[in-house]
Amino acid sequence: MINLSIYRFTLLNKAKEQQVLSFFNEEEDLLDTMNDFCSHIHKNTKSYTDVQGKYRTFSLANNQIKDVEKRIITGYFDSGYTGEYGQIKDGKTSNLKYDILKGDLFSKDFFYLIHVPKNSKYGFFIFQKKENHGVKMIFENAFNSFMRLKGVSNYFLQLKQAPARYLINNFLKFGKLKEFRLIDGTIQSAIETLNVNLGREERVIKLNSSTNNQSVKNVLVELFDNFSSQDKIPFMNQGAYDEITFVIGHNGVSKTFYIKDKEKIRTSFNVTSMLEFEDGEATFESLIRISLELINSAA
């Protein structure tokens, strides 16, 4: 299974103003800066310790490819981490080749594509998602560290999820509603003298799989498509809420949708059926092609 995650990025100054990516800092093109960054991490592996105490590394598996005409940079990341025990065995005989020890780096390569449009304040970052190998935070942190290293400390990169609309549409159109949540904001204590903020209230409605929930789903999808104000969200004469989320299952995958805060929608999608394969591996060319299609959908 090949999953791709898509993010939209901006470059902000200290006042948090978005910059034109192809002409920031009065003269620099972020496409060239990103290319320099990729060359840097290829030669200087980024190492860090995650919240679980595992030692991790982040680098490039090979030299990046810069396409000036398409304004993209592509290649494969190399991500590794320690803390796993295991064995490598021969696929035909099951004979042991060698042991994986706790201090060994368990490393994987995975595809990425960076797109820096001309005269735009938004760029796109797509990477192949693999279990136990996060990219978003380390990429963001490593790039911002690189900018400080080169003496540009007044700009920083910010990544946010960018759902590809046509893949989301498949969930909304063909998926089955599994549950939804009606969320109210902070609740104050009924005892005035305490003045305690008790958090928020959530009503969770889990739906019976054997029940036809199409009418409820239609209402939620309508709200998702059309509601964008900062007011409370009215829902089926049941009151108004600060946020409503709902879970839809499609092709064995469940995805949570947010009616107001759409940037929280996880943007990892199974694109296996859209790719071409050679010797069981997705071709580099087809990964680029589908990535550009995802960008066109999310732009």
Side-chain angles (χ1 to χ4, degrees):
M1 181 183 297
I2 306 294
N3 290 307
L4 294 181
S5 293
I6 177 169
Y7 285 81
R8 181 187 288 113
F9 63 78
T10 54
L11 192 69
L12 307 177
N13 62 14
K14 286 186 175 180
K16 295 187 177 181
E17 298 168 327
Q18 296 176 352
Q19 306 299 298
V20 176
L21 301 180
S22 56
F23 195 72
F24 80 98
N25 203 19
E26 298 184 351
E27 62 179 11
E28 293 189 58
D29 187 341
L30 191 65
L31 181 69
D32 297 329
T33 306
M34 280 287 183
N35 191 61
D36 293 341
F37 164 67
C38 289
S39 297
H40 174 76
I41 61 172
H42 188 212
K43 297 177 182 177
N44 302 274
T45 299
K46 181 75 173 178
S47 60
Y48 62 104
T49 302
D50 66 14
V51 294
Q52 296 177 336
K54 292 182 178 180
Y55 176 79
R56 290 182 176 268
T57 61
F58 180 74
S59 184
L60 297 190
N62 49 23
N63 288 317
Q64 73 277 10
I65 300 172
K66 177 182 172 184
D67 187 324
V68 176
E69 182 179 348
K70 294 180 180 177
R71 296 190 60 82
I72 61 175
I73 298 170
T74 55
Y76 289 88
F77 287 128
D78 181 340
S79 171
Y81 67 94
T82 61
E84 295 285 346
Y85 290 104
Q87 295 179 330
I88 302 296
K89 294 185 177 182
D90 185 280
K92 295 181 179 179
T93 65
S94 295
N95 290 333
L96 177 67
K97 287 189 172 183
Y98 56 88
D99 292 309
I100 300 175
L101 304 178
K102 189 175 182 179
D104 292 334
L105 276 170
F106 185 76
S107 178
K108 284 188 177 181
D109 297 348
F110 46 100
F111 171 83
Y112 72 90
L113 180 145
I114 301 166
H115 176 45
V116 183
K118 195 79 172 175
N119 300 320
S120 173
K121 293 182 179 180
Y122 295 97
F124 292 90
F125 175 46
I126 291 180
F127 60 89
Q128 184 178 354
K129 185 176 178 61
K130 292 191 177 182
E131 187 177 2
N132 294 324
H133 292 269
V135 173
K136 186 263 182 186
M137 290 187 64
I138 182 58
F139 180 86
E140 196 174 61
N141 292 339
F143 179 82
N144 290 330
S145 296
F146 170 74
M147 292 288 277
R148 292 191 295 270
L149 183 66
K150 62 179 289 190
V152 185
S153 60
N154 54 332
Y155 295 98
F156 64 95
L157 192 75
Q158 185 177 75
L159 278 73
K160 294 185 178 181
Q161 299 190 77
R165 183 66 203 188
Y166 79 90
L167 290 175
I168 280 181
N169 282 345
N170 284 339
F171 276 84
L172 298 178
K173 185 176 181 179
F174 302 112
K176 186 174 181 62
L177 181 65
K178 300 174 72 174
E179 70 173 57
F180 60 93
R181 293 173 182 254
L182 307 174
I183 303 169
D184 264 341
T186 56
I187 303 169
Q188 296 295 324
S189 170
I191 306 175
E192 294 182 1
T193 56
L194 292 179
N195 192 27
V196 177
N197 183 342
L198 297 179
R200 68 181 189 179
E201 179 184 23
E202 294 188 11
R203 293 178 58 193
V204 182
I205 296 90
K206 294 185 178 293
L207 303 173
N208 192 322
S209 60
S210 62
T211 304
N212 184 359
N213 302 305
Q214 189 61 42
S215 60
V216 180
K217 177 187 170 185
N218 290 342
V219 172
L220 291 167
V221 171
E222 176 71 17
L223 287 169
F224 178 81
D225 285 336
N226 298 304
F227 193 88
S228 59
S229 76
Q230 296 302 310
D231 300 326
K232 285 181 174 285
I233 308 167
F235 182 71
M236 298 181 72
N237 298 319
Q238 298 298 311
Y241 300 88
D242 292 309
E243 177 66 285
I244 298 177
T245 72
F246 57 99
V247 178
I248 287 184
H250 178 55
N251 285 342
V253 177
S254 294
K255 191 170 290 292
T256 302
F257 292 83
Y258 298 76
I259 287 176
K260 271 191 180 179
D261 197 355
K262 294 179 175 59
E263 287 183 347
K264 286 185 176 180
I265 300 172
R266 297 290 181 182
T267 55
S268 176
F269 294 99
N270 180 2
V271 296
T272 308
S273 62
M274 306 175 191
L275 298 170
E276 298 169 5
F277 289 81
E278 290 182 2
D279 298 325
E281 297 291 331
T283 65
F284 188 59
E285 294 75 14
S286 67
L287 284 166
I288 293 175
R289 174 181 53 77
I290 193 59
S291 295
L292 292 177
E293 289 181 13
L294 290 174
I295 288 171
N296 288 333
S297 172

